Amino acid sequence: MNEPKIPIERKVWSHFVGELKALGTSPQGGKAKFLAAGLLGLLLAVSLLNVVNSYVGRDFMTAIEHHDMSGFIGQGLLYILVFAGSTGVAVVYRYCEERLGLLWREWLTQRFIARYIETPVYHRLNDQLIENGEIANPDQRIAEDIRAFAVTTLSFTLMVLNGAITVLAFAGVLWSISPLLFTVAVAYAGIGSYLTIALGRPLVGLNFSQFDKEANFRSDLIHVRKHAESIALLSREGRIKARLLHRLDALVENFQRIILVNRNLGFFTTGYNYLLQIIPALVVAPMFIHNQVEFGVITQATLAFVQLLGAFSLIVTQFQSISSFTAVIARLGSLLDAIEQSRSAHGAIEIAEAPDAIRYQNLTLHSRTQAQPLLRGLDLEIPHGKRLLVLGPSHDAKVALLRATAGIWAWGAGRVQRPGNGQTLFLPERPYMPPGTLREALLRTGKEATIGDAQILAILREFNLESLLERTGGLDSEQDWDELLSLGEQQLLAAARLILAEPRFVFLDRISTALSPEDVAMLLGLLNHRGITYITLGHSRFGRRGADDKLADYDAMLELAGDGGWRVRKIEGGRLGEE
C-alpha cells in the first residue's frame, strides 16, 4: 500500500499566517505580544548564559589541568552561579511558552468553533462526509489537531529562533577554536538533514492517516457507550465487536508502518547523535597534543560544537515531530477550506424571508445522488393560520421538503420564502435533548431573562410533565436526558420548547412515532390555541394515516407522489376536496 501524499499548498500556509495576524489584532493580542516579547528576551538570555557557560567550563577544566586550587574554587563557584541563573531562566521560559501556547489554542479553537457551529456549515460538512468521505472527524481536528498545532507551532518557532541565536552566539566561538571544526559541523548537519528527509518522508502521510484511524476507533467506542441498551436488546454485540476489531486492525496496521519507518530512521539519527560526542575531540585533541590549545578548549569545543550542530540539525532531531506537525497542518488546512467553502457556498435553492407565509416557488428537490427527483416544480403558499398535512409514500421527499424549508438541503433548485428570526421552527421525528439543564433544554438562547419559572411550570403542567422536576432535580440540574427520559417524554419536552418559543410556523415530522394519540391531540390543540400554524409530515399516503393525520386537524393536504409529482387538496369539515 502506498502512503497517501499530503500536499500542503501555499494557500494553507497563508490561512495560518492570517490567523496569526488576527491573533495580534484580537483582544488577546496584547497579552500574546507581551508573552512573545518575554520569550524572545528569555531566548537571548539562555543563549548568553550558554556562551558564558562554555568559557567558565573551559577555565574550570584548565584550572584542574594546571592544579590551580584557587582557580578551581573560583571557577567552580562561578559555574554554580551560571547553573542557577540558567535554571531560573529555563523555568520562566517554559512557563511563558506554555501560557502563550494555551492562549493561542484557546483563541484558535474559539475561532474554529464559531465558524463550524454556524448554519449550515456543520450540516454541510456532515453531508460531504456522508457522500464522499471528505473532512472526516471534524470534531477531532478541532479538539486535538488545534491543540497540537498551537503547541507545536510555538515550540518549533522558538526552536528555530533559538537555533538562529545559537548559530550567531557559537559560530564565532567555534571558528576561533578551529575553522575546520566549524566547516565539519555545517557539512555534517547538511548531509544529516538531507538523509533524514529522504528516510522519513513517508511519515507525513502515515501520521495523517493515523489521526483519522484513531478518531474512527474512538468514535465507535463512544457509540457503544451511548447506545449500550439498544445494542444489548438487539443482541448486536457480535457485529459491534467485529466493527471495533476492524477499526483496531486498521490503526494497528498503519501504526506498524509508522514504527517500521521510525526504526529505519532511528538507525540513522541515533548514530548521527552518537557521533556528536567524538567529532570535536577528533579535531581538537591533536591540537592539544601538539600544545596548540589548553585542555579546557576541548571541553569548550565540544559544548560549542553540540550547540551549533543542534541548531543546524533541527530536521534530524525533530523530524518525527515535524512529520506529525505537517499532517496536523494539512488536516486543519483542509477543514478550514471546507468551512470557508460551506460558508460561501450558495445552493441552487434560494432562501428568502416572508413575514406571514411560507411560499415554495418552482421548488424541485433531488436525492443526494441526484439520481431521481423527489419533488418537481412545487408552487405553494401556506399563509399564517392555514394548517397543512403532508402525505406521500416517499419518506425521503417529505424530509427533503422539511430540510429545504430549513435551508439545509443542497440538492435541488427553486425558491423558499419563510419567516425568519426564529419564527419558523422544526420538530423532527427523533427528539433532540441538548446537553445542559432542564431550563436550557426548554428555553431558546436569549429567552432566559424573559421567561420565568412560573411560565415554564405552566407549560410543563399542560404537557403533564410537572413530575419531571422532582425526578430531575429541578430546572437548573444537569442530567443525561437520553438516559433519564423516555422517548415520548423527550418529544413532549421538545414540543414544550416549541410552545415557549412562540414561533409563527412549526414543522412537525411524524410526531405520532414518539407520542400517543392523546399527546398528539394535546399538542395540536395547544398550537391552535396559541395561533401557531403547523405543517405536519404524516407517515404515509392518504387512507393509511397515523394519529397525527386526522383530517379534522387540518385545512389542506399536500400529497407527494412517488415520482416527484404533487397535488393540494382542501379539507372541509374533516373531508377531502380539491384545490
Side-chain angles (χ1 to χ4, degrees), residues 227-237:
H227 302 279
E229 182 176 349
S230 298
I231 293 170
L233 292 174
L234 296 174
S235 299
R236 301 283 292 181
E237 295 89 350

Side-chain angles (χ1 to χ4, degrees), residues 161-223:
L161 287 174
N162 183 56
I165 294 171
T166 299
V167 168
L168 294 175
F170 281 97
V173 175
L174 201 61
W175 183 271
S176 66
I177 295 172
S178 171
L180 174 61
L181 188 58
F182 177 83
T183 305
V184 169
V186 174
Y188 191 68
I191 295 172
S193 299
Y194 172 79
L195 292 176
T196 299
I197 293 173
L199 291 170
R201 188 185 301 272
L203 283 176
V204 178
L206 291 171
N207 280 318
F208 186 97
S209 298
Q210 189 68 22
F211 286 131
D212 274 334
K213 294 181 188 300
E214 296 279 1
N216 290 336
F217 180 61
R218 185 171 60 251
S219 177
D220 279 352
L221 288 173
I222 294 172
H223 174 85

Side-chain angles (χ1 to χ4, degrees), residues 389 391 512 538-552 554 557 571 574 576:
L389 173 63
L391 291 179
S512 62
H539 277 272
S540 185
R541 65 181 75 220
F542 175 61
R544 297 166 60 186
R545 302 185 302 275
D548 49 357
D549 302 348
K550 293 181 179 179
L551 296 182
Y554 300 93
M557 182 174 71
I571 299 175
L576 281 170

